[in-house]
Amino acid sequence: MTDWFSKLTPDIHHRLDNLQQSFGEILDRSMDRSVRLAVTGLSRSGKTVFITSLVHQLIHGVNSQHLPFFKIVDSDRLLGTKAQPQPDLHIPSFRYDLAVDKLSANPPDWPQPTSGISEIRLAIRYKPANPVLARFSPVNTLYVDIIDYPGEWLLDLPLLDLSYEQWSEQTAALCDKEPRLRLSNTWRTFMDGVDVTQPATDETLRKASQLFTDFLMECKKKEHGLTLLQPGRFTMPGDLKGAPLLEFCPLLRIPSNTTKSGNDFYHVMKRRYESYKEHVVRKFYREHFSRFDRQIVLADVLKAFNTGHETFQDMRTAINLVLKSFQYGKNNFFSRLLNGKIDKLLFAATKADHVTPNQLPNLERFLQLMLTEANNNVMFEGVETETVALASLQCTKAVTQQYQGQALSCIQGIQKEGDKSVAVFPGEIPADIPLPEDWVDGRFRFLDFRPPHLPNVRNGVLPHIRMDRALEFLLGDKFS
């Protein structure tokens, strides 16, 4: 009897530990003492740098002079912030320490971009603003779980509402227009030679999926800058790299007659698509996306200006499609217990230091115009939204240069491809979306910059633009 009980003891302890953790999370939610913050965005929008800066500003926020609009700091109620063991032990940790190492190196470098999901938990100790609450609980703690994942994976969410046939038709329509028409030529030529009503061979299936993946990777290159690339795992596979689950592609034309056995090319591709949706997309949505409380969507609007009208339209379509996949609505006591819904949504135009300060209002307005449809939808659900132009790490400074006897507002920094500081006039952000014919080559030329030399990073100095506004919107109400 004793031996039998001793064998069960480790399992009982494990179950009790899990129960204790679950109870703790439920208690934190019921008391509004935890927030799950999703940092989302599409490729090259600056998610990794944003999270690094956000964590850094909070950890070094006590007595900070660099967060004037973050009220808990401005009112001296922030007592300290520390990283804590994360609740989801099966998720890799966000390596804030490695990111800081990159930024503080000599010469400094950008942190490695997101290649998979990661998470970091912060415990923020503070004095409540409400005098009644302060009397009963003079010191409180807010737990913030920050979740980072590749922006490419966001693009899989809309597939949950699309059948294989619908996705194929959508992709075929995209490939009828430039630049996809040209970039997809090799894949389309191969598919034209495949009889999709005949039994599929492994070689043909593999070749078709590889050529389709090559096409997506070409679309993603900087010179094209396309965003709506589905499935997202094809360009950022993570732990699925080389898995047969990624060996499928859409069809240019859906056949009307196929074999009854279902082993033809069409049916095999369709089954693989449905399997991908079930075992990758739906699983990821269920485990992560459906549990978010607050969300920030980052967008590199300047990339669209540099690349052209097609890139702009593609980015706008992609972001609006993605945002339809999230659960939005007011968070109350019961919804928090049941994992809740997103009740605050921040749209952020990144790289605000790549334009002059007088252009920041136009940058914010332009992002608002891009996301009008999505913003109206979430506001209808009672979600509080805001748009901000920010720089997670300020790489430039505003300077004035003389040009033909006139003072010209410029920015000064080290270009990404160089090692000397230069002053440039970056151009102006239009107040309204230009017409397609106005997106002429050379009209916009916003440069990329290297991170500045930061000898005091570890002591809390990390220059930024409007990170305090982002922090106040996303977390400020939790410190009341």
Side-chain angles (χ1 to χ4, degrees):
M1 181 72 175
T2 303
D3 291 340
W4 175 79
F5 182 78
S6 64
K7 290 180 180 179
L8 290 181
T9 300
D11 182 62
I12 292 174
H13 277 296
H14 178 68
R15 291 175 182 272
L16 288 175
D17 288 341
N18 287 341
L19 182 62
Q20 184 179 18
Q21 179 179 339
S22 299
F23 178 76
E25 290 180 359
I26 291 174
L27 181 62
D28 284 339
R29 283 187 173 275
S30 67
M31 298 294 290
D32 204 14
R33 294 193 309 210
S34 71
V35 178
R36 288 184 64 83
L37 173 62
V39 180
T40 63
L42 301 174
S43 179
R44 299 185 182 94
S45 58
K47 297 178 299 298
T48 303
V49 180
F50 175 84
I51 294 176
T52 301
S53 179
L54 183 135
V55 172
H56 192 88
Q57 305 299 344
L58 287 170
I59 289 178
H60 298 279
V62 177
N63 301 319
S64 173
Q65 304 300 312
H66 301 280
L67 302 169
F69 292 100
F70 193 26
K71 293 179 182 177
I72 189 176
V73 171
D74 188 57
S75 60
D76 293 325
R77 293 189 294 111
L78 179 64
L79 301 177
T81 301
K82 289 186 66 175
Q84 299 287 303
Q86 64 194 63
D88 303 305
L89 300 181
H90 62 289
I91 297 177
S93 300
F94 178 83
R95 293 304 302 271
Y96 163 75
D97 55 332
L98 297 182
V100 171
D101 286 344
K102 283 278 191 179
L103 294 176
S104 58
N106 190 15
D109 197 5
W110 293 112
Q112 290 296 319
T114 299
S115 60
I117 187 169
S118 62
E119 181 180 58
I120 185 171
R121 164 170 279 201
L122 300 177
I124 305 174
R125 303 199 74 187
Y126 66 97
K127 294 182 290 187
N130 189 311
V132 177
L133 294 177
R135 175 172 296 183
F136 291 97
S137 182
V139 177
N140 287 348
T141 302
L142 176 71
Y143 295 96
V144 180
D145 296 319
I146 305 169
I147 300 92
D148 177 33
Y149 48 87
E152 289 81 355
W153 295 6
L154 284 172
L155 297 167
D156 283 340
L157 298 186
L159 298 181
L160 294 174
D161 294 325
L162 296 178
S163 67
Y164 179 67
E165 292 77 12
Q166 289 171 325
W167 175 57
S168 293
E169 290 171 1
Q170 175 182 286
T171 305
L174 289 171
C175 290
D176 278 340
K177 301 176 182 178
E178 293 291 359
R180 283 182 173 86
L181 179 63
R182 169 173 46 88
L183 298 176
S184 65
N185 182 62
T186 302
W187 170 66
R188 288 187 296 105
T189 300
F190 178 82
M191 292 299 294
D192 285 340
V194 176
D195 186 347
V196 300
T197 66
Q198 294 300 309
T201 66
D202 289 340
E203 181 181 358
T204 305
L205 292 167
R206 192 175 298 113
K207 182 71 172 178
S209 64
Q210 184 58 57
L211 290 177
F212 181 70
T213 302
D214 293 343
F215 154 60
L216 294 181
M217 295 298 291
E218 190 68 26
C219 291
K220 187 180 178 181
K221 287 184 177 179
K222 185 177 180 180
E223 57 265 34
H224 308 302
L226 296 176
T227 303
L228 185 55
L229 307 175
Q230 297 169 313
R233 292 275 188 146
F234 278 40
T235 62
M236 187 66 74
D239 57 355
L240 292 178
K241 186 175 182 179
L245 197 59
L246 302 187
E247 292 182 352
F248 65 92
C249 71
L251 299 185
L252 296 169
R253 290 171 294 277
I254 302 298
S256 55
N257 297 314
T258 59
T259 58
K260 295 181 178 180
S261 65
N263 290 324
D264 54 82
F265 188 95
Y266 162 58
H267 279 103
V268 172
M269 284 294 188
K270 181 175 181 177
R271 285 197 297 270
R272 290 186 178 188
Y273 171 79
E274 294 297 338
S275 181
Y276 178 84
K277 284 171 55 178
E278 183 63 32
H279 297 290
V280 178
V281 185
R282 199 177 304 280
K283 179 175 181 288
F284 194 66
Y285 183 92
R286 186 168 51 244
E287 292 181 359
H288 303 289
F289 287 92
S290 61
R291 299 169 57 202
F292 295 150
D293 300 311
R294 299 208 166 158
Q295 176 186 344
I296 177 167
V297 177
L298 306 175
D300 181 5
V301 178
L302 302 183
K303 178 181 75 171
F305 282 120
N306 282 344
T307 313
H309 184 258
E310 293 81 9
T311 301
F312 160 73
Q313 290 280 39
D314 200 65
M315 180 185 294
R316 177 163 66 174
T317 301
I319 294 178
N320 280 285
L321 278 175
V322 164
L323 293 179
K324 291 179 180 179
S325 303
F326 287 84
Q327 295 187 71
Y328 296 111
K330 284 290 186 181
N331 244 332
N332 54 37
F333 176 82
F334 294 104
S335 67
R336 283 197 299 272
L337 290 179
L338 300 174
N339 288 333
K341 294 182 178 181
I342 292 171
D343 61 359
K344 278 196 172 189
L345 174 60
L346 178 65
F347 299 109
T350 57
K351 303 180 182 179
D353 56 333
H354 292 32
V355 300
T356 53
N358 64 334
Q359 292 298 306
L360 294 184
N362 278 6
L363 185 58
E364 289 183 355
R365 172 176 165 77
F366 197 88
L367 182 59
Q368 289 172 347
L369 292 174
M370 282 183 65
L371 302 174
T372 298
E373 178 186 350
N375 198 25
N376 288 341
N377 289 339
V378 297
M379 289 180 67
F380 180 81
E381 299 294 336
V383 180
E384 187 177 352
T385 68
E386 187 169 310
T387 305
V388 63
L390 59 79
S392 308
L393 173 62
Q394 185 174 357
C395 302
T396 68
K397 62 180 180 180
V399 296
T400 301
Q401 296 285 310
Q402 294 296 320
Y403 179 72
Q404 296 182 350
Q406 304 236 345
L408 195 63
S409 296
C410 299
I411 55 174
Q412 184 173 343
I414 301 175
Q415 286 184 241
K416 188 175 182 180
E417 306 304 328
D419 56 4
K420 293 183 179 180
S421 181
V422 295
V424 296
F425 174 68
E428 297 182 346
I429 305 292
D432 293 296
I433 296 175
L435 296 173
E437 56 268 24
D438 294 331
W439 294 74
V440 295
D441 290 342
R443 176 180 177 181
F444 304 109
R445 186 171 172 267
F446 297 102
L447 304 177
D448 287 331
F449 292 90
R450 293 171 56 181
H453 182 53
L454 301 168
N456 297 319
V457 171
R458 299 187 184 283
N459 295 324
V461 179
L462 196 64
H464 66 88
I465 296 176
R466 297 181 173 176
M467 282 296 292
D468 50 342
R469 280 182 52 184
L471 283 165
E472 178 60 29
F473 178 79
L474 293 168
L475 300 175
D477 61 312
K478 296 295 184 180
F479 303 115
S480 59

